[in-house]
Amino acid sequence: MTFQQRVIEITQQIPYGKVTTYGTVAALAGSPRAAIIVGQVLRYQSQLHQLPWQRVINKDGYITINNPHFPAEMQVALLEAEGITVEKKQLFKVDLKKFGWFPSSG
DNA sequence: AAGGTGACTAACA
DNA sequence: ATGTTAGCCACCT
């Protein structure tokens, strides 16, 4: 079981209408300091595994995606389609207190 | 197999 | 509040 496989499984467990952070996924996958790797995994595997990659954002609630094929605007659209409020006037910020999914801390 | 990369995060300033 | 720096570590080639 590789880190990558764990990331994929955990991402698939994020409930519809909720979001979590790269750091949280990394921690659940067993490497709390490998948050940046979570992003790499999603970048390479999101299409192949049809992952809900849009539900993973950074710890401050901001969308920091950097993938030409999946721009931030697309991620915002996908999140809003799930009923998640995105503050477009504040760098695409999501309220983690309201929409965050943190199984290990709650 | 070794090295470059970066969808992160915590410190600093 | 913004901008830079360092540490991180598994991804890919």
Side-chain angles (χ1 to χ4, degrees), chain A residues 7-8 10-22 25 38-39 41-43 45-47 49-59 61-67 69-86 92-96 99-101:
Chain A
V7 168
I8 291 168
I10 292 163
T11 301
Q12 289 173 334
Q13 293 174 23
I14 305 172
Y16 180 96
K18 294 288 184 179
V19 295
T20 192
T21 70
Y22 297 100
V25 175
V38 173
V41 170
L42 296 183
R43 178 190 174 95
Q45 307 297 335
S46 60
Q47 287 180 302
H49 295 267
Q50 293 183 318
L51 292 175
W53 53 268
Q54 71 275 19
R55 297 176 194 157
V56 185
I57 60 181
N58 84 349
K59 75 176 186 61
Y62 292 104
I63 289 174
T64 54
I65 190 171
N66 182 22
N67 184 333
H69 299 299
F70 299 88
E73 294 174 356
M74 173 185 287
Q75 184 167 5
V76 170
L78 289 170
L79 292 176
E80 289 183 327
E82 300 187 8
I84 297 172
T85 301
V86 181
F92 298 143
K93 186 174 186 178
V94 175
D95 185 356
L96 290 176
F99 300 107
W101 179 72

Side-chain angles (χ1 to χ4, degrees), chain A residues 1-9 37 41 44-45 49:
Chain A
M1 193 57 132
T2 65
F3 180 79
Q4 173 177 355
Q5 290 173 309
R6 294 182 189 277
V7 168
I8 291 168
E9 292 186 0
I37 310 302
V41 170
Y44 291 110
Q45 307 297 335
H49 295 267

